[in-house]
């Protein structure tokens, strides 16, 4: 029997990749892919090692703080499942802000802290973090597959968003959220 040749594929997302994947040239990414996790503490991210309200006086308060961060992610995932692409819509006349409603600064900070400290998390908390990240990515993929669901109407058909002809372009905030969560899951695996 002949053995099949092994095929390896490598994908690296960069701000240039965003433009090549259909990002409007006027859109500015709020989450360009960093070269290292530590880079998230510098410009343009400016994340902190821990959120301001993180308590680490003792092991119990530290565990409770980590639990609170995971709950923030899980609650956000429930919003994503119920609202889909509607969480990422920008009304006419509005500009996309630094972060959007769903992938806001608190969520990104929680992700960063949890991924950065994943080795010191209790096994159950780490498991919940992995599950929350996987559920977020699954929810984002589902929203992308069904872009007709929006905050204004959940029964709107995809044709009204132009997806029937294949020309639907997700908002920059959606692309940033997807990149952020994929990056955090990828980083957590190593």
């Amino acid at each position: 029997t002949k053995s099949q040749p092994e095929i390896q594929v490598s994908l690296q997302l960069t701000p240039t990749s965003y433009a090549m994947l259909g990002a409007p040239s006027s859109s500015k990414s709020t989450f360009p892919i960093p070269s290292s996790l530590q880079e998230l503490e510098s410009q343009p991210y400016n994340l902190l090692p821990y959120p301001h309200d993180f308590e680490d006086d003792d092991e119990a308060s530290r565990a409770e703080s980590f639990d609170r961060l995971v709950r923030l992610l899980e609650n956000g995932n429930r919003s994503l499942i119920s609202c889909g692409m509607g969480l990422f819509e920008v009304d006419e006349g509005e500009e996309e802000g630094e972060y959007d409603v769903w992938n806001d600064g608190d969520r990104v900070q929680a992700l960063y802290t949890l991924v950065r400290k994943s080795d010191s998390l209790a096994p159950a908390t780490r498991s919940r973090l992995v599950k929350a990240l996987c559920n977020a990515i699954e929810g984002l993929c589902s929203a992308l597959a069904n872009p007709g669901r929006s905050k204004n109407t959940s029964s709107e058909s995809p044709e009204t968003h132009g997806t029937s002809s294949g020309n639907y372009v997700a908002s920059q905030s959606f692309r940033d959220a997807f990149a952020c969560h994929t990056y955090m899951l990828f980083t957590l695996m190593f």
Side-chain angles (χ1 to χ4, degrees):
T1 58
K2 283 186 168 179
S3 65
Q4 295 292 328
E6 187 175 318
I7 299 174
Q8 294 182 347
V9 177
S10 175
L11 175 64
Q12 181 178 5
L13 294 176
T14 63
T16 306
S17 300
Y18 287 142
M20 292 170 51
L21 292 173
S25 59
S26 62
S27 291
K28 183 177 181 226
S29 176
T30 59
F31 194 84
I33 303 298
S35 58
S36 71
L37 191 63
Q38 292 74 27
E39 192 177 305
L40 292 172
E41 291 182 25
S42 60
Q43 287 286 350
Y45 318 96
N46 297 321
L47 297 176
L48 303 170
Y50 296 97
H52 292 293
D53 62 347
F54 191 89
E55 296 178 30
D56 62 351
D57 299 332
D58 56 41
E59 286 300 314
S61 60
R62 187 175 175 83
E64 176 57 34
S65 291
F66 283 133
D67 182 66
R68 191 172 53 250
L69 295 176
V70 173
R71 277 194 315 250
L72 177 102
L73 300 178
E74 292 167 339
N75 291 339
N77 289 349
R78 284 190 279 282
S79 297
L80 175 63
I81 289 168
S82 41
C83 295
M85 278 298 206
L87 290 174
F88 304 98
E89 289 180 354
V90 177
D91 295 331
E92 286 186 34
E94 286 183 23
E95 289 188 27
E96 293 186 67
E98 183 176 330
Y99 290 102
D100 63 273
V101 174
W102 183 72
N103 200 46
D104 63 2
D106 290 340
R107 185 175 179 89
V108 174
Q109 179 65 62
L111 282 167
Y112 173 64
T113 299
L114 289 164
V115 169
R116 189 177 72 81
K117 300 304 286 181
S118 64
D119 290 339
S120 62
L121 297 176
T125 305
R126 189 174 198 287
S127 177
R128 285 176 55 215
L129 169 60
V130 171
K131 184 173 171 69
L133 275 167
C134 290
N135 288 344
I137 292 171
E138 182 180 12
L140 290 165
C141 289
S142 177
L144 187 59
N146 303 299
R149 279 191 359 200
S150 72
K151 63 184 174 187
N152 297 328
T153 172
S154 60
S155 62
E156 194 172 305
S157 69
E159 288 78 22
T160 60
H161 282 307
T163 57
S164 62
S165 60
N167 62 357
Y168 177 77
V169 177
S171 69
Q172 184 64 49
S173 63
F174 176 87
R175 294 189 303 264
D176 287 339
F178 194 88
C180 174
H181 286 77
T182 304
Y183 177 81
M184 294 296 182
L185 182 59
F186 181 81
T187 303
L188 186 64
M189 293 188 300
F190 294 99

